[in-house]
Amino acid sequence: TLTSPAPFADETSCQCQAPHEKLTIAQARLGTPVDRPVRVYADGIFDLFHAGHARALMQAKTLFPNSYLLVGVCSDDLTHKFKGFTVMNETERYEALRHCRYVDEVIRDAPWTLTPEFLEKHKIDFVAHDDIPYSSAGSDDVYKHIKEAGMFVPTQRTEGISTSDIITRIVRDYDVYARRNLQRGYTAKELNVSFISEKKYRFQNQVDKMKEKVKNVEEKSKEFVYKVEEKSHDLIQKWEEKSREFIGNFLELFGPDGAWKQMFQERSGRMLQAFSPRQSPNSSPTRGRSPSRSPSPPWVINKTSPPSSPKAASASLSSTSEGDEDEK
């Protein structure tokens, strides 16, 4: 388990004590004793340390079953002389390499061209780098003598990413990064921008803030409209359900065969019975003459039912006289 960064070569007390015997690539691939790891060297500038650098170091570390990876990093003076200005200074680049998991040791102020004395000092068996000829320092390929000595092992470059690509992106989008850093509190002097550019960037930042606010308002408005539409849909659905329920209840009560019609018919029948009761039969005791009651005298005329005509009156008198004769 890795718990600390890789040591610097000039600060470590652990020196390779094993005899530095000449190894071939075939021997190294077969494996070496535990106390004799294959010492592989990889060098570079490693500015803006990225995944392409890490993958190259991973390949160098895994070239052989038992290997010890030394990484040389060139200083600022040497890099600025032969390649150009860097974004990160040498201390930052050293520290970035120390914290890569594949690195066993970091060599500071590494030489631009590898000499036999340097290879012997660090007991380097093989040098790992991509196979593309690297022209620099007046040479068509600085690794030509390493290849001729049979000590060069190629690695593969990672397509789509490099330090130059990253710098190109920064230059292309310089205005965006300058505006962002002004907004974060950096001064125009720190960003090396003019007074007019600073005002322009700050104005653009204000415009972007206003656009963002408008965008947020639009999104909230859309969200509000969506919620209103959703609630309206729910209310309409509930209203339709209640309407169907109300219409069903209404038809059940007032429809052609509804409960209200049946109730009305029942009440109408009861009222008809109440207004026109059935006549009692002739044998009913109420129509017989009560024995305790004395007959009315012939001169008493029924006031409740006066005769409607003279004939009826004469018939009534004749019947009364006949009744009197029968009683006599």
Side-chain angles (χ1 to χ4, degrees):
T1 302
L2 298 176
T3 58
S4 60
F8 290 120
D10 55 351
E11 292 182 354
T12 180
S13 59
C14 299
Q15 300 293 331
C16 180
Q17 302 297 331
H20 188 235
E21 299 176 356
K22 184 69 176 178
L23 289 175
T24 64
I25 294 178
Q27 290 173 334
R29 293 190 188 282
L30 290 175
T32 57
V34 176
D35 61 345
R36 175 61 173 92
V38 180
R39 295 175 67 85
V40 180
Y41 176 80
D43 61 354
I45 309 303
F46 300 105
D47 191 22
L48 297 175
F49 188 80
H50 52 75
H53 294 142
R55 288 179 64 86
L57 297 176
M58 179 186 69
Q59 294 177 60
K61 176 67 175 177
T62 57
L63 285 170
F64 307 107
N66 183 21
S67 63
Y68 185 87
L69 181 59
L70 300 92
V71 178
V73 184
C74 300
S75 65
D76 285 345
D77 292 339
L78 201 61
T79 303
H80 298 167
K81 179 180 179 181
F82 290 106
K83 189 171 183 178
F85 191 73
T86 58
V87 178
M88 300 170 65
N89 60 44
E90 59 184 28
T91 302
E92 294 169 337
R93 293 186 285 114
Y94 296 154
E95 288 298 321
L97 266 297
R98 291 184 69 196
H99 291 83
C100 179
R101 62 184 301 182
Y102 309 113
V103 178
D104 295 306
E105 190 174 309
V106 175
I107 300 176
R108 294 183 285 192
D109 194 13
W112 197 261
T113 302
L114 301 178
T115 61
E117 293 78 16
F118 179 82
L119 297 175
E120 180 61 28
K121 176 183 177 180
H122 295 283
K123 296 182 172 60
I124 295 170
D125 293 310
F126 300 101
V127 177
H129 200 273
D130 62 80
D131 203 14
I132 301 174
Y134 193 82
S135 58
S136 181
S139 173
D140 294 336
D141 188 1
V142 296
Y143 298 104
K144 182 178 180 180
H145 64 290
I146 303 295
K147 295 176 181 178
E148 292 174 350
M151 298 175 62
F152 187 85
V153 184
T155 58
Q156 299 296 321
R157 291 178 64 89
T158 301
E159 296 296 332
I161 186 169
S162 67
T163 302
S164 299
D165 291 340
I166 296 174
I167 294 174
T168 301
R169 295 180 206 170
I170 296 173
V171 173
R172 181 190 62 196
D173 300 326
Y174 172 76
D175 288 349
V176 177
Y177 297 125
R179 288 166 52 192
R180 183 185 67 180
N181 287 343
L182 279 173
Q183 193 173 5
R184 290 182 175 180
Y186 288 89
T187 64
K189 184 178 181 180
E190 291 173 327
L191 296 173
N192 194 27
V193 298
S194 64
F195 176 79
I196 296 176
S197 297
E198 179 189 5
K199 297 303 179 184
K200 181 184 73 173
Y201 292 149
R202 293 192 183 279
F203 176 75
Q204 289 174 342
N205 287 336
Q206 293 297 327
V207 172
D208 289 344
K209 285 183 179 179
M210 186 63 63
K211 289 181 179 178
E212 188 67 23
K213 289 182 179 179
V214 172
K215 184 179 178 181
N216 292 334
V217 171
E218 289 180 352
E219 290 179 353
K220 290 181 180 179
S221 300
K222 289 180 181 178
E223 185 179 356
F224 175 75
V225 171
Y226 175 76
K227 289 182 178 180
V228 170
E229 289 179 351
E230 188 177 6
K231 290 210 176 267
S232 300
H233 179 72
D234 294 339
L235 289 173
I236 291 172
Q237 188 176 3
K238 290 180 180 179
W239 182 82
E240 289 178 349
E241 293 176 357
K242 293 293 183 183
S243 298
R244 285 194 293 267
E245 182 180 356
F246 175 78
I247 293 170
N249 294 335
F250 182 84
L251 292 176
E252 184 179 355
L253 186 61
F254 298 102
D257 298 326
W260 179 260
K261 182 178 180 181
Q262 295 178 2
M263 183 175 63
F264 180 76
Q265 290 177 350
E266 291 178 359
R267 291 190 176 182
S268 299
R270 292 176 183 175
M271 292 176 67
L272 289 173
Q273 290 179 2
F275 287 117
S276 60
R278 293 179 181 179
Q279 294 182 356
S280 301
N282 295 332
S283 59
S284 175
T286 57
R287 294 184 62 87
R289 216 175 261 179
S290 176
S292 61
R293 185 176 180 181
S294 59
S296 300
W299 57 85
V300 177
I301 300 173
N302 191 359
K303 295 181 181 180
T304 59
S305 56
S308 58
S309 63
K311 292 181 178 180
S314 61
S316 176
L317 290 175
S318 62
S319 61
T320 304
S321 62
E322 290 178 357
D324 291 338
E325 289 176 358
D326 290 339
E327 287 180 359
K328 290 178 179 179

